[in-house]
């Protein structure tokens, strides 16, 4: 910056040359006078007008354009102010250059002034002078000296620009950037308008008419001195006075004497504070505590709440678990309500603790900031500084009386509140929901997803099947509103009756027959035809309607045994339903039982001699081996039983789907229950059933 000023010699060179010319002219004039004096003296006393004229012209030649001259005001006319500066004619200065702000002239005749010779005319025109240029030249000289010496200058702020301020320095316009106004960031420059300001020149160029100022270099000196003084007298834990300089979203900057410390929003209050402006404003004088100090980086963390006692130190004694108190809503969120119990102590009422209802409205629709509410203390965590509160404890819990209002077996009507993969939740009343499991929706068919048959907000009827007050669970059933297909069938059919059914699926041990919606019976492969059947598909077709005789109805196992070959034959045996319980839930016939029914009955018709136990027969065979007798009538069923037994063994390795209940799946698996040529005893029949 200094080099820039020194590298511009135009003005100083011109001044030097002007001085040299003036000195030479004075010397020439003196020589001429000395030479003229003898001439004058040698004359007879007459005036030498030629010499005088020559001397006058020589004197006039010393003035040149741009010269700074001293003069005296000799008159004021419409054309301007006349100034005599030693030239052959007076020069004229525009009147406005001497006009004050109130419109009056600031000079009078006889006043001495300094002006700049702007123009000289060879004719009768007077020289043109400028008072403003003289003042500006004097100001530039003073500014250059201040720049070189590093001394401050004082000017008046005239306007605000995009990047800073315009400052008038005795007629010279200078620029003060916004970043150079103060050591701290300045967010508004309006307060500096039309007021004097002191600054230092950091850039100077007379040729470019450019002057840049900085006030920051002056304030930095003051601030650094204060900062050093402050840092030498404070330490962590000290309490100091400060002034709020600036507020941000995360805290406030406090000037504690040449250095700014950060007062974070979390250190302003023990309570919840959303913005520092809720407690402080710029310019406030505060007392703060030094929490952290980094002398190398000049960073200081301050605290305000640390000067007050921590209310959480006594919160357990003041708010024990179970205490019922009043509080004020300080904040509302989607997940709950924050309640201020006292300044600095807040608790949270979670959304699940607002109401016993599991579908309570959004807290934002129920509460507003400042609302006074009743709460109960549910838990206190002093380490995390958290208090759990509840509001629903002031209401009756509907689950306490659910077994009285909805005992098992009660028929209810409710609205479906929610549908999941495993069932539908039905609202009985506010706070009470029951679950209809997917398996309890209908008897009719298997449902992949509840939404296939139910819709949200649909009104349905159901029966209460179970209540768990402890876990607040209530089970419902929609299918129990109507009798099952099994119950309907059993109530109107008996063994020996002929029914018509549709072949629904094949297995290697028989066919399943659909007798109604959701109800199937089993016709063993041996009951499809009188002759031996190798494959069920050779006798029946899938979906074909056929007639079957009911061989057996087992209410306990929920199984139905069928026979196609027995249709139209009155001598075919059946099992009396009176030997079974009337309790029914739906199911299939047991293959082992069907085998016992089919072949055990024939074995009873064989001679009693053939019905001896197997052990006795084996013992006799060991004592006296005999040649095999021709196959008797009693042995024929045993031979025919080979295929069903093999089929049963093969089918047992793969699961068979139950038609009406999961328990029937195990019963559908065929068992090797074929008879031998001997008539089965009562014990063997029991063995077969248990197998």
């Amino acid at each position: 910056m200094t080099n820039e000023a020194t590298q511009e010699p135009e003005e100083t060179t011109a001044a030097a040359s002007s001085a040299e010319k003036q000195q030479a002219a004075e010397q020439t004039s003196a020589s001429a006078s000395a030479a003229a004096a003898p001439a004058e003296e040698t004359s007879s006393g007459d005036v030498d007008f030629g010499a005088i004229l020559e001397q006058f012209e020589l004197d006039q030649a010393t003035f040149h354009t741009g010269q700074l001259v001293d003069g005296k005001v000799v008159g004021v006319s419409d054309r301007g102010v006349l100034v005599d500066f030693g030239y052959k004619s007076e020069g004229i200065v525009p009147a406005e250059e001497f006009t004050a702000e109130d419109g009056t002239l600031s000079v009078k005749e006889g006043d001495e002034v300094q002006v700049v010779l702007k123009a000289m005319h060879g004719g009768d025109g007077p020289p043109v002078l400028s008072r403003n240029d003289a003042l500006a030249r004097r100001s530039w000289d003073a500014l250059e000296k201040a720049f070189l010496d590093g001394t401050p200058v004082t000017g008046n702020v005239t306007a605000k620009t995009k990047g800073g301020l315009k400052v008038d320095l005795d007629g010279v316009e200078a620029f003060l950037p916004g970043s150079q106004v103060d050591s701290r960031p300045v967010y508004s420059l309006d307060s500096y308008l039309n007021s004097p300001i002191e600054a230092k020149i950091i850039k100077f160029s007379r040729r470019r008419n450019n002057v840049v100022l900085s006030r920051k270099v002056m304030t930095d000196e003051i601030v650094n001195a204060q900062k050093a003084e402050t840092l030498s007298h404070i330490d962590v834990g000290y309490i100091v006075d400060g002034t709020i300089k600036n507020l941000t979203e995360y805290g406030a900057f406090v000037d504690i004497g040449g250095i700014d410390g950060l007062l974070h929003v979390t250190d302003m209050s023990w309570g919840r504070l959303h913005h520092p402006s809720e407690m402080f404003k710029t310019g406030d004088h505060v007392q703060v505590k030094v929490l952290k100090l980094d002398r190398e980086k000049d960073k200081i963390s301050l605290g305000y709440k640390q000067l007050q006692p921590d209310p959480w130190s006594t919160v357990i004694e003041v708010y024990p678990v179970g205490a019922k108190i009043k509080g004020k809503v300080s904040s509302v969120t989607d997940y709950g309500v924050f309640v201020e119990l006292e300044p600095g102590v807040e608790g949270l009422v979670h959304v699940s603790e607002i109401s016993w209802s599991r579908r309570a409205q959004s807290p934002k629709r129920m509460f507003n900031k400042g609302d006074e509410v009743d709460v109960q203390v549910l838990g206190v965590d002093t380490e995390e500084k958290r208090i759990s509160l509840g509001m629903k404890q002031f209401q009756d819990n509907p689950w306490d009386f659910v077994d009285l209002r909805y005992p098992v077996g009660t028929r209810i009507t409710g609205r479906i509140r929610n549908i999941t993969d495993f069932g539908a939740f039905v609202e009985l009343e506010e706070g009470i929901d029951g679950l209809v499991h997917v398996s309890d929706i209908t008897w009719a068919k298997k449902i992949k997803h509840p939404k296939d048959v139910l819709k949200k907000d649909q009104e349905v009827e159901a029966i209460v099947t179970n209540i768990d007050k402890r876990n607040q669970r209530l089970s419902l059933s929609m299918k129990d509103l109507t009798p099952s297909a099994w119950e309907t069938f059993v109530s109107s059919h008996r063994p020996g009756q002929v029914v018509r059914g549709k072949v629904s699926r094949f297995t290697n041990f028989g066919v399943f027959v659909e007798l109604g919606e959701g109800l199937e019976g089993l016709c063993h492969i041996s009951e499809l035809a009188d002759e031996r059947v190798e494959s069920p598909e050779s006798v029946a077709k899938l979906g074909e309607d056929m007639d079957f005789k009911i061989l057996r109805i087992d209410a306990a196992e929920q199984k139905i045994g069928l026979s196609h070959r027995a249709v139209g034959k009155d001598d075919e045996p059946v099992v009396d339903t009176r030997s079974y319980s009337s309790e029914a839930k739906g199911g299939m016939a047991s293959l082992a039982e069907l085998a016992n029914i089919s072949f055990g009955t024939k074995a009873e018709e064989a001679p009693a001699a053939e019905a001896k136990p197997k052990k006795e027969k084996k013992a006799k065979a060991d004592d006296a081996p005999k040649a095999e007798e021709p196959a008797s009538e009693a042995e024929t069923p045993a031979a025919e039983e080979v295929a069903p037994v093999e089929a049963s063994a093969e089918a047992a390795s793969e699961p068979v789907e139950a038609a009406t209940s999961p328990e029937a799946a195990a019963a559908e698996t065929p068992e090797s229950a074929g008879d031998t040529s001997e008539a089965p005893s009562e014990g063997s029949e029991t063995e077969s059933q248990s197998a």
Side-chain angles (χ1 to χ4, degrees):
M1 292 182 291
T2 305
N3 293 338
E4 183 178 353
T6 56
Q7 289 174 1
E8 298 174 359
E10 293 87 352
E11 294 85 354
T12 54
T13 304
S17 60
S18 176
E20 292 176 358
K21 290 180 180 180
Q22 186 173 0
Q23 184 176 1
E26 290 177 355
Q27 293 176 355
T28 305
S29 176
S31 301
S33 299
E40 291 177 359
E41 290 178 358
T42 56
S43 64
S44 57
D46 295 333
V47 177
D48 189 352
F49 289 101
I52 295 174
L53 179 61
E54 182 180 357
Q55 180 64 36
F56 177 78
E57 290 178 351
L58 185 63
D59 291 342
Q60 301 303 315
T62 60
F63 294 100
H64 57 85
T65 303
Q67 184 178 351
L68 180 67
V69 296
D70 295 326
K72 181 184 292 185
V73 177
V74 296
V76 178
S77 66
D78 296 337
R79 298 174 58 190
V81 178
L82 297 176
V83 177
D84 180 11
F85 60 98
Y87 192 60
K88 62 182 179 180
S89 63
E90 294 84 359
I92 187 166
V93 180
E96 57 266 19
E97 294 190 12
F98 288 103
T99 303
E101 294 181 358
D102 56 359
T104 60
L105 288 176
S106 59
V107 294
K108 60 183 183 298
E109 289 186 17
D111 289 348
E112 292 185 357
V113 294
Q114 196 173 41
V115 293
V116 171
L117 184 59
K118 297 271 295 182
M120 299 180 64
H121 301 286
D124 296 335
V128 179
L129 306 176
S130 173
R131 168 68 172 171
N132 289 344
D133 286 357
L135 294 177
R137 180 172 296 181
R138 188 168 60 184
S139 297
W140 278 101
D141 291 342
L143 293 177
E144 183 175 9
K145 186 175 186 305
F147 172 69
L148 296 175
D149 296 342
T151 57
V153 294
T154 302
N156 188 59
V157 179
T158 59
K160 183 177 73 171
T161 65
K162 184 177 181 180
L165 300 171
K166 287 184 179 181
V167 182
D168 178 32
L169 300 174
D170 291 335
V172 178
E173 186 179 273
F175 176 65
L176 176 59
S179 60
Q180 298 295 321
V181 173
D182 203 305
S183 299
R184 299 180 182 87
V186 178
Y187 298 96
S188 177
L189 299 175
D190 294 335
S191 60
Y192 293 92
L193 290 175
N194 302 318
S195 60
I197 192 169
E198 189 178 24
K200 282 189 176 182
I201 301 173
I202 59 175
K203 189 174 182 180
F204 181 88
S205 176
R206 179 181 293 191
R207 181 171 59 85
R208 297 180 181 178
N209 197 28
N210 182 29
V211 178
V212 180
L213 305 176
S214 172
R215 181 172 175 269
K216 181 176 180 295
V217 295
M218 298 177 60
T219 58
D220 282 348
E221 296 176 0
I222 300 173
V223 168
N224 291 334
Q226 292 178 346
K227 183 187 298 184
E229 178 71 15
T230 301
L231 290 175
S232 64
H233 289 85
I234 65 170
D235 207 339
V236 174
Y238 279 41
I239 298 175
V240 296
D241 293 325
T243 304
I244 303 292
K245 287 298 182 182
N246 187 29
L247 295 176
T248 66
E249 292 183 357
Y250 53 87
F253 288 97
V254 183
D255 181 9
I256 58 174
I259 185 170
D260 289 348
L262 174 62
L263 175 59
H264 198 271
V265 65
T266 57
D267 292 315
M268 292 182 177
S269 172
W270 291 109
R272 181 181 294 271
L273 199 64
H274 294 91
H275 196 276
S277 59
E278 297 178 14
M279 285 190 65
F280 304 105
K281 63 180 182 294
T282 303
D284 286 350
H285 296 283
V286 294
Q287 199 173 47
V288 290
K289 185 175 182 179
V290 179
L291 303 180
K292 295 179 181 179
L293 176 61
D294 188 342
R295 299 181 187 275
E296 294 181 359
K297 298 182 179 179
D298 293 341
K299 290 186 178 181
I300 302 177
S301 296
L302 305 174
Y304 183 79
K305 71 179 184 181
Q306 286 76 8
L307 300 179
Q308 306 167 5
D310 185 1
W312 283 93
S313 58
T314 58
V315 74
I316 283 191
E317 293 79 10
V318 179
Y319 305 106
V321 175
K324 296 183 178 180
I325 51 181
K326 286 186 177 292
K328 185 179 293 185
V329 175
S330 59
S331 179
V332 184
T333 66
D334 291 332
Y335 55 86
V337 181
F338 286 94
V339 179
E340 184 182 46
L341 306 180
E342 67 174 73
V345 178
E346 281 186 344
L348 172 64
V349 182
H350 193 265
V351 64
S352 62
E353 296 296 334
I354 295 176
S355 171
W356 291 106
S357 175
R358 295 185 180 180
R359 60 177 192 88
Q361 294 183 0
S362 171
K364 292 184 178 180
R365 297 183 180 180
M366 301 173 63
F367 302 96
N368 295 312
K369 185 178 180 180
D371 290 350
E372 192 172 272
V373 293
D374 292 319
V375 292
Q376 181 174 341
V377 179
L378 304 180
V380 179
D381 185 349
T382 55
E383 291 185 2
E384 296 292 333
K385 294 186 177 181
R386 295 177 180 175
I387 298 180
S388 299
L389 304 174
M391 292 181 180
K392 69 181 182 181
Q393 288 72 18
F394 293 87
Q395 311 164 11
D396 291 333
N397 185 357
W399 284 96
D400 292 341
F401 314 100
V402 68
D403 55 341
L404 301 178
R405 293 176 57 81
Y406 306 102
V408 174
T410 303
R411 186 178 184 129
I412 61 95
T413 300
R415 184 174 61 86
I416 296 177
R417 185 179 62 83
N418 190 26
I419 297 178
T420 66
D421 294 340
F422 54 84
F425 287 95
V426 179
E427 183 183 45
L428 281 66
E429 63 176 63
E430 183 74 17
I432 299 292
D433 287 347
L435 172 64
V436 180
H437 194 267
V438 64
S439 62
D440 292 323
I441 294 177
T442 180
W443 296 106
K445 57 181 178 179
K446 236 178 182 181
I447 299 175
K448 293 182 179 180
H449 198 284
K451 68 181 180 181
D452 295 339
V453 293
L454 299 175
K455 294 182 180 179
K456 190 175 180 180
D457 295 328
Q458 176 184 349
E459 286 214 357
V460 295
E461 289 185 349
I463 290 179
V464 179
T465 58
N466 186 43
I467 297 175
D468 184 356
K469 291 175 61 175
R470 182 177 180 181
N471 296 314
Q472 296 187 357
R473 294 176 180 174
L474 189 145
S475 299
L476 303 174
S477 174
M478 294 173 59
K479 71 180 184 181
D480 287 342
L481 293 171
T482 58
S484 65
W486 169 264
E487 293 172 339
T488 304
F489 185 86
V490 168
S491 64
S492 58
H493 294 81
R494 293 291 182 270
Q497 291 182 350
V498 176
V499 295
R500 192 164 184 81
K502 181 185 292 185
V503 177
S504 58
R505 49 199 172 108
F506 291 106
T507 67
N508 52 7
F509 54 83
V511 296
F512 285 98
V513 180
E514 183 180 355
L515 301 175
E517 192 171 7
L519 180 65
E520 288 182 331
L522 175 64
C523 179
H524 194 268
I525 191 171
S526 61
E527 293 295 333
L528 286 174
D530 291 331
E531 63 277 3
R532 182 182 179 85
V533 177
E534 297 293 340
S535 172
E537 289 87 345
S538 62
V539 179
K541 295 181 180 179
L542 191 65
E544 180 182 1
D545 289 330
M546 300 174 64
D547 290 330
F548 298 90
K549 178 180 280 191
I550 301 174
L551 296 182
R552 180 181 178 184
I553 298 176
D554 187 349
E557 298 294 333
Q558 297 184 354
K559 303 167 187 174
I560 302 174
L562 304 175
S563 174
H564 178 63
R565 70 179 182 82
V567 175
K569 299 178 182 179
D570 296 335
D571 57 342
E572 291 293 331
V574 296
V575 179
D576 192 353
T577 56
R578 288 178 297 179
S579 62
Y580 299 97
S581 169
S582 60
E583 211 174 310
K585 298 180 182 177
M588 308 300 173
S590 168
L591 295 181
E593 292 164 354
L594 291 177
N596 284 334
I597 293 171
S598 175
F599 303 112
T601 306
K602 292 183 179 181
E604 289 173 359
E605 296 176 357
E610 301 290 340
K612 294 180 180 180
K614 291 181 179 180
K615 289 184 179 180
E616 293 181 10
K617 190 173 182 180
K618 185 177 182 181
K620 290 179 180 180
D622 293 337
D623 294 338
K626 298 179 181 180
E628 286 186 336
E629 297 179 0
S632 63
E633 187 178 359
E635 292 174 345
T636 305
E640 294 175 353
E641 189 60 18
V642 175
V645 170
E646 292 176 353
S648 301
E650 183 180 352
S653 64
E654 57 183 18
V656 181
E657 183 179 3
T660 56
S661 67
E663 295 83 2
E668 289 178 12
T669 307
E671 304 175 28
S672 54
D675 288 342
T676 60
S677 59
E678 293 84 21
S681 64
E682 184 177 350
S684 64
E685 183 177 353
T686 306
E687 237 176 52
S688 174
Q689 290 179 357
S690 62

